[in-house]
Amino acid sequence: MTLVKAALLLLLLVAALTDLCQRRIPNILLAFGALIGLGASLSGFGMVSASQALLGAGVGFLIFLLPYVIGRMGAGDVKFLTVIGLFVGPVAVMKVALYAMLAGGVLALLLLGLRTGRFIEGKNIPYAVGISIGALLVLAEMN
C-alpha cells in the first residue's frame, strides 16, 4: 500500500468517525486531505495525474452540489467527496458517489430501524460514513 492510499484511508476513517460522533466533518481535516491528494498528484506520486485529480474534484463537487443547495446534504459532505475526487479522479469519484448513495440509504434504514433519538430529532444522517464506504469499495476495485 502506498503512503497516498494510507493517507486516504486515514482521511476516510477520521471523517466517518467525526461525522458519526459530532455530525460534522472538520474543515481542517478536509484541507489536509486536499493538500495531500493534490500534492501527491502534482508530484507524480498520486493515484491519478494532476489534471485527473482536478477533474475528479470538480466532478465530486458537482455531484453533491444539488442535494446541498436544496438542503438535503451538508456542505461537509460536498467538500468530502470533492477531496476524495482529488485522490481518485473523475471516473472513480462517480463510482464513489453511487456506492455512497447506496450505503447511505442502507445506513438511513438502519438508523430509522434503531430509532435513535438523535437521528429522529435531528433528521440528519452521518453521510460521511456512506461516502467512506463507497470510497473503500472503489479502492478495493482499483487493486
Side-chain angles (χ1 to χ4, degrees):
M1 176 186 316
T2 66
L3 285 176
V4 176
K5 283 186 183 174
L8 177 55
L9 290 173
L10 184 61
L11 173 71
L12 298 175
L13 177 66
V14 174
L17 288 175
T18 55
D19 198 23
L20 191 60
C21 296
Q22 302 173 4
R23 295 297 199 266
R24 61 183 302 275
I25 307 169
N27 283 333
I28 190 75
L29 175 67
L30 297 173
F32 277 121
L35 286 174
I36 293 168
L38 185 57
S41 293
L42 286 170
S43 67
F45 292 105
M47 295 166 29
V48 295
S49 68
S51 61
Q52 289 294 298
L54 292 172
L55 207 53
V59 168
F61 176 78
L62 289 173
I63 289 172
F64 280 174
L65 181 61
L66 181 60
Y68 167 72
V69 168
I70 63 173
R72 299 291 182 226
M73 181 172 287
D77 300 319
V78 179
K79 293 180 279 186
F80 187 34
L81 189 65
T82 301
V83 170
I84 292 170
L86 287 170
F87 282 89
V88 300
V91 174
V93 82
M94 285 188 272
K95 290 181 181 180
V96 170
L98 175 63
Y99 292 151
M101 289 176 211
L102 294 171
V106 170
L107 179 62
L109 290 173
L110 286 172
L111 289 174
L112 204 57
L114 293 174
R115 302 227 187 263
T116 60
R118 186 170 184 177
F119 175 72
I120 299 298
E121 288 172 21
K123 297 193 191 264
N124 61 356
I125 298 168
Y127 204 62
V129 175
I131 297 170
S132 294
I133 291 169
L136 288 171
L137 291 171
V138 169
L139 285 173
E141 285 180 1
M142 293 173 86
N143 289 331

